[in-house]
């Protein structure tokens, strides 16, 4: 219930000056991606999955973490603050 995934394949993308296959993962969450220590652990796990599933080298993957506040996410006609 707390994880949403969107996959957009086939988009033109350049990473580190190269158009070779690559991936960008954007992670946004309430209270889970707010510190460097948290994100270091998440990053390691995501890289393990992404390199195994996509067959990409670690240098071809970038992860962006965005911490959110409960009032920034709408659900069930309200915001997460009230759920």
């Amino acid at each position: 219930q707390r994880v949403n995934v969107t996959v957009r394949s086939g988009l033109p993308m350049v990473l580190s000056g190269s158009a070779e296959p690559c991936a960008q993962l954007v992670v946004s969450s309430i209270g889970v991606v707010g510190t460097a220590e948290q994100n270091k652990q998440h990053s390691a796990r995501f890289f393990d999955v992404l390199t195994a599933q996509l067959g990409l080298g670690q240098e071809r993957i970038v992860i962006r973490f965005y911490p959110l506040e409960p009032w920034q996410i709408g659900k069930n006609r309200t915001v997460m603050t009230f759920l």
Side-chain angles (χ1 to χ4, degrees):
Q1 291 185 16
R2 301 214 177 235
V3 176
N4 297 298
V5 177
T6 301
V7 176
R8 295 182 187 157
S9 62
L11 295 176
M13 205 170 140
V14 174
L15 179 63
S16 299
S18 170
E20 292 297 313
C22 59
Q24 176 178 260
L25 175 64
V26 177
V27 180
S28 55
S29 182
I30 299 168
V32 178
V33 296
T35 69
E37 285 303 315
Q38 286 174 318
N39 292 345
K40 182 179 177 183
Q41 293 175 2
H42 298 315
S43 183
R45 291 186 196 124
F46 284 130
F47 268 92
D48 289 345
V49 171
L50 292 172
T51 55
Q53 293 296 315
L54 300 177
L56 296 173
Q58 293 182 25
E59 72 284 355
R60 300 302 301 156
I61 299 170
V62 172
I63 303 173
R64 297 185 326 185
F65 294 98
Y66 291 99
L68 298 172
E69 296 296 326
W71 56 266
Q72 293 175 304
I73 303 296
K75 187 174 179 180
N76 296 337
R77 300 183 70 218
T78 186
V79 292
M80 294 299 290
T81 303
F82 302 107
L83 296 176

